Amino acid sequence: MNKYSKQIKELEPAVLMLTDLLGLEPIPIKVEDLGEEDGRFYLNGLYIAISDKLIDDKLERLKTLIHEYRHYYQLIVVETNNTKEPLFNEFKDEITNGPKSTEPSELMCQYIEIDAFAYTKYILKRVYKIDYHHYDPLYDEILDKFILYYYIK
């Protein structure tokens, strides 16, 4: 039992919901010193890390979980060659070739990031009734358009 067991346990209902919605198996969640308020999906080791700086904030913890589970989904789409996913080609290109730039503003424009942010916003609203907005109003507008195009049928 580690000092973050309670916070991770509180995520279990969200994990079950996400694995069901996305057709995934659960993967481990770890709390790590990421040097910033962040989360990460690790391809090697297949787990999600949530920053020790945001694990105590329920909303940030949930946002991170949803975002990183979406990255897990993107990987599985590519690994299983799921061409029924509308963004299959974009996911495959970005996961296979990596980012074209390491500039944060350009990383945020990758399909895998826009999709993960938009999916997070969509799930927060649809499932949790939380009206979340990205801190950048223009990016938030892109997320809304992405949600309308890809998630709302």
Side-chain angles (χ1 to χ4, degrees):
M1 193 98 159
N2 72 40
K3 75 183 209 174
Y4 300 112
S5 296
K6 178 180 177 265
Q7 292 92 329
I8 291 172
K9 184 147 185 66
E10 288 175 355
L11 289 172
E12 285 178 6
V15 168
L16 292 174
M17 178 268 305
L18 288 166
T19 55
D20 184 52
L21 281 175
L22 297 170
L24 302 170
E25 294 295 320
I27 58 174
I29 300 166
K30 300 177 182 181
V31 178
E32 296 181 351
D33 177 3
L34 299 176
E36 55 193 67
E37 294 183 7
D38 199 5
R40 300 214 178 104
F41 168 65
Y42 287 100
L43 298 164
N44 299 330
L46 205 61
Y47 72 95
I48 291 170
I50 299 176
S51 170
D52 59 349
K53 292 171 183 57
L54 60 77
I55 193 69
D56 289 323
D57 182 313
K58 284 185 178 188
L59 179 57
E60 290 300 321
R61 180 169 64 226
L62 182 60
K63 283 172 28 188
T64 302
L65 180 79
I66 298 166
H67 183 98
E68 300 308 332
Y69 251 94
R70 189 63 178 185
H71 285 317
Y72 173 32
Y73 167 80
Q74 296 162 349
L75 173 68
I76 297 303
V77 163
V78 172
E79 285 185 346
T80 61
N81 206 35
N82 180 359
T83 56
K84 291 181 181 176
E85 164 58 51
L87 290 166
F88 169 77
N89 290 324
E90 289 80 2
F91 291 169
K92 184 175 180 182
D93 176 53
E94 291 177 2
I95 289 171
T96 304
N97 298 321
K100 293 172 180 53
S101 168
T102 56
E103 288 296 317
S105 61
E106 290 186 34
L107 288 172
M108 295 289 289
C109 292
Q110 295 181 103
Y111 278 97
I112 58 173
E113 284 304 322
I114 294 170
D115 177 64
F117 277 109
Y119 191 75
T120 301
K121 181 174 180 166
Y122 173 70
I123 292 298
L124 286 172
K125 180 70 171 179
R126 179 175 158 221
V127 175
Y128 297 97
K129 309 301 184 232
I130 298 170
D131 197 16
Y132 168 74
H133 296 280
H134 192 273
Y135 65 86
D136 180 329
L138 292 176
Y139 197 75
D140 198 56
E141 188 176 324
I142 290 169
L143 298 179
D144 287 339
K145 288 179 181 181
F146 198 92
I147 289 166
L148 286 172
Y149 190 81
Y150 288 106
Y151 309 141
I152 299 176
K153 308 277 185 234

